Amino acid sequence: MSTTVRQILENLASVVQFHGFIPNSGSVQLSRRSHPPLFTQMVADYYAATGNKTLLKEMIPWMNQEMLWWTENRAFYVKLPSGRKYRMYQYRALSSCPRPENYLTDLNNGLNGTGHPEFIWSSIASACESGLDFSTRWFAHQGKYADTKYSIRTNNIIPVDLNVFMAWNFATLTNFHEILGRSKEATEYRELYKGLREALDEVFWSEDYGAWFDYDLMEQKLRSGFYPSNVFPLLLGGYDAPVTEKVLDYLLKSGALIFKGGIPVSLNNASHEQWDYPNGWPPLTHLFVESLRLSKNEKLVKIAEETAWKFIRTAYNGMMYPKMGMPAACWEKYDIRYDDGTPGSGGEYPVQQGFGWTNGALLDLIYKYGILEEHTISRTEPINSGKSCASGKQFIFLVFILFGLLMLWLLIAFALRLKKFSNTKHEELQLVETVRLLDNEW
């Protein structure tokens, strides 16, 4: 496996060497959109597992290059009402036309949307950069076309998770350069980390709610809806008990912890987009769990474990006890209202089975939490519940009813046949008696 991972990293490094960043896809039409900047964290995971300093030396130029690209192309200064100013990062694709892969829909959204067509089209492409295409996280929540793609405004939003990723990368690269004895570069990244870390709390943190929220540049205020990214700054560590207790209180009041299948990607059910309720997505579930696990708050750590097991359970059921009519599979997303492996829905394409990030999230969570006996599901005691089991019982009941009706029909048919046979026999006897009497008369 380490060889496979190394080769993947080398392949991605060649992509960074060519493009300067990792684009949305290898195809030409998607090469101007980025992916979330997680290449550095991939290298970090590999290095933590192998200690391969040789590969680290090979990768460091391309990690630096990716960070340089983001700093030059996606950095944006946020000026708060207080007058303080911070350099932060946002998804902002250069595209100003409909996407080639969904041209007519985008054309309609742009021509009939709430903003200038080019702004709408660019915001659509920017949402694709985030990976969350599409979600009410990027839509207006009030006014005409609220919570629809017609009101998309990604380019006006500074997202929590992207800035957490960048701060995480700066901290990781500080450590890498120290390992390689490059003190100058380590100092530069340390300063970048400190500045962005301060900005995360100054711009995103809500003392009233007890969580971090995306910032709206135009309205100059936080967007207070629930998303798993509201707790991602905990990935960076260093928060004391008063902060983590506020986060705990926020989560308990949010309503996001009550679902059988894990954490929803949002609590907004108005859009029918795939990155909204009732869907739960493995990569966000994984980051949510990691955020709470690293918080050092005992109760948050417990919620992390419970959330992990909800996800493991529904994924297990989807593979081992699929719902009637569904294939046994891992899915790219799940309906978190159930723990029976029901796949998610919505969006621009049918739900996909496979699925790379589902497998990755599952393997890491199983590695961290193990598989306890009370969490396994046997064939004699499947935890499939609700619609699936009800449908099975109804089917069996229906079979019995139909069988009973068939037997009743056969009995009635037999009785009628027997009666007809009896009448025929009686007529034959009468005929024989008549013939005998005639013979006697002759």
Side-chain angles (χ1 to χ4, degrees):
M1 179 60 78
S2 62
T3 300
T4 301
V5 174
R6 176 176 56 79
Q7 291 170 343
I8 290 172
L9 293 175
E10 289 171 344
N11 183 44
L12 289 173
S14 70
V15 174
V16 176
Q17 184 178 7
F18 183 83
H19 289 282
F21 67 105
I22 297 177
N24 211 218
S25 167
S27 58
V28 173
Q29 67 267 28
L30 304 185
S31 62
R32 299 176 75 189
R33 306 177 207 159
S34 177
H35 259 313
L38 291 169
F39 177 59
T40 296
Q41 298 311 314
M42 295 172 68
V43 176
D45 285 345
Y46 174 83
Y47 182 75
T50 66
N52 187 339
K53 191 178 289 189
T54 300
L55 186 76
L56 181 60
K57 289 179 181 178
E58 293 175 6
M59 294 294 110
I60 202 78
W62 312 121
M63 290 186 281
N64 290 338
Q65 173 59 48
E66 187 186 36
M67 292 300 95
L68 178 64
W69 185 90
W70 278 89
T71 301
E72 291 181 345
N73 293 278
R74 295 294 186 269
F76 192 90
Y77 280 94
V78 178
K79 187 176 182 180
L80 298 179
S82 64
R84 302 192 71 175
K85 195 175 182 181
Y86 296 96
R87 185 171 72 173
M88 305 189 77
Y89 299 85
Q90 68 173 157
Y91 298 111
R92 184 184 283 268
L94 297 178
S95 175
S96 58
C97 61
R99 292 171 297 158
E101 70 270 27
N102 209 7
Y103 187 87
L104 290 179
T105 300
D106 287 6
L107 181 66
N108 179 54
N109 288 143
L111 295 179
N112 297 289
T114 57
H116 190 279
E118 290 188 0
F119 174 81
I120 295 290
W121 294 327
S122 180
S123 287
I124 287 173
S126 298
C128 293
E129 283 197 332
S130 76
L132 278 66
D133 46 332
F134 292 93
S135 167
T136 51
R137 186 177 175 188
W138 313 124
F139 302 163
H141 298 318
Q142 296 178 341
K144 187 179 181 181
Y145 298 132
D147 295 322
T148 72
K149 208 187 301 179
Y150 290 104
S151 67
I152 193 167
R153 48 191 291 111
T154 319
N155 287 8
N156 284 338
I157 296 170
I158 305 294
V160 173
D161 44 4
L162 172 58
N163 286 275
V164 169
F165 296 155
M166 291 298 292
W168 200 6
N169 291 338
F170 292 154
T172 301
L173 284 166
T174 298
N175 182 47
F176 282 166
H177 282 289
E178 287 176 344
I179 290 171
L180 297 176
R182 301 173 180 178
S183 58
K184 179 183 177 182
E185 290 86 348
T187 299
E188 291 173 354
Y189 277 115
R190 187 178 295 108
E191 291 304 311
L192 288 171
Y193 170 74
K194 287 180 180 178
L196 188 51
R197 182 65 187 266
E198 179 184 344
L200 284 169
D201 294 330
E202 289 295 323
V203 176
F204 296 136
W205 174 253
S206 169
E207 188 70 19
D208 293 334
Y209 283 94
W212 295 265
F213 298 100
D214 297 338
Y215 186 78
D216 192 305
L217 290 169
M218 294 300 293
E219 298 183 7
Q220 293 192 312
K221 67 178 184 180
L222 299 175
R223 295 167 60 86
S224 59
F226 170 82
Y227 302 100
S229 56
N230 294 355
V231 302
F232 285 5
L234 294 175
L235 287 166
L236 303 174
Y239 290 103
D240 55 17
V243 172
T244 58
E245 284 296 321
K246 280 183 172 291
V247 173
L248 173 64
D249 186 59
Y250 165 74
L251 288 176
L252 293 175
K253 292 178 179 178
S254 69
L257 304 178
I258 65 173
F259 301 101
K260 292 181 179 180
I263 291 295
V265 73
S266 83
L267 291 175
N268 190 315
N269 62 357
S271 73
H272 304 294
E273 296 289 352
Q274 64 174 347
W275 289 89
D276 277 315
Y277 179 87
N279 292 338
W281 288 78
L284 294 186
T285 298
H286 181 260
L287 286 167
F288 180 87
V289 169
E290 282 294 281
S291 299
L292 302 191
R293 187 180 71 86
L294 296 172
S295 69
K296 297 183 179 179
N297 179 295
E298 184 178 342
K299 292 180 180 178
L300 288 177
V301 171
K302 182 63 176 176
I303 292 173
E305 182 177 3
E306 292 169 352
T307 303
W309 274 112
K310 286 179 179 180
F311 171 56
I312 292 170
R313 177 171 293 181
T314 195
Y316 182 93
N317 272 342
M319 290 186 288
M320 304 305 295
Y321 302 103
K323 293 185 67 174
M324 189 178 300
M326 298 296 294
C330 268
W331 299 99
E332 62 168 351
K333 55 183 178 277
Y334 291 89
D335 188 326
I336 49 82
R337 294 173 295 180
Y338 312 102
D339 60 1
D340 60 2
T342 300
S345 59
E348 297 179 334
Y349 57 86
V351 62
Q352 301 293 299
Q353 60 177 287
F355 195 85
W357 58 32
T358 306
N359 297 330
L362 278 172
L363 287 171
D364 189 62
L365 293 177
I366 290 172
Y367 175 78
K368 286 184 169 72
Y369 293 102
I371 298 181
L372 304 178
E373 185 175 352
E374 60 264 33
H375 291 122
T376 59
I377 300 93
S378 69
R379 289 190 177 278
T380 56
E381 295 179 319
I383 69 164
N384 277 358
S385 59
K387 294 181 180 179
S388 180
C389 282
S391 297
K393 291 177 181 177
Q394 290 169 2
F395 177 74
I396 294 170
F397 181 71
L398 181 61
V399 169
F400 275 113
I401 292 294
L402 291 175
F403 181 75
L405 290 173
L406 177 62
M407 293 303 296
L408 180 62
W409 179 81
L410 289 173
L411 286 172
I412 293 172
F414 179 75
L416 292 174
R417 188 78 175 175
L418 185 63
K419 183 178 180 181
K420 183 177 180 181
F421 175 78
S422 178
N423 291 338
T424 303
K425 196 70 176 175
H426 181 69
E427 290 173 357
E428 289 178 353
L429 290 173
Q430 286 183 330
L431 181 60
V432 169
E433 181 64 19
T434 301
V435 171
R436 188 182 64 79
L437 291 173
L438 288 173
D439 284 342
N440 290 338
E441 290 180 2
W442 282 100

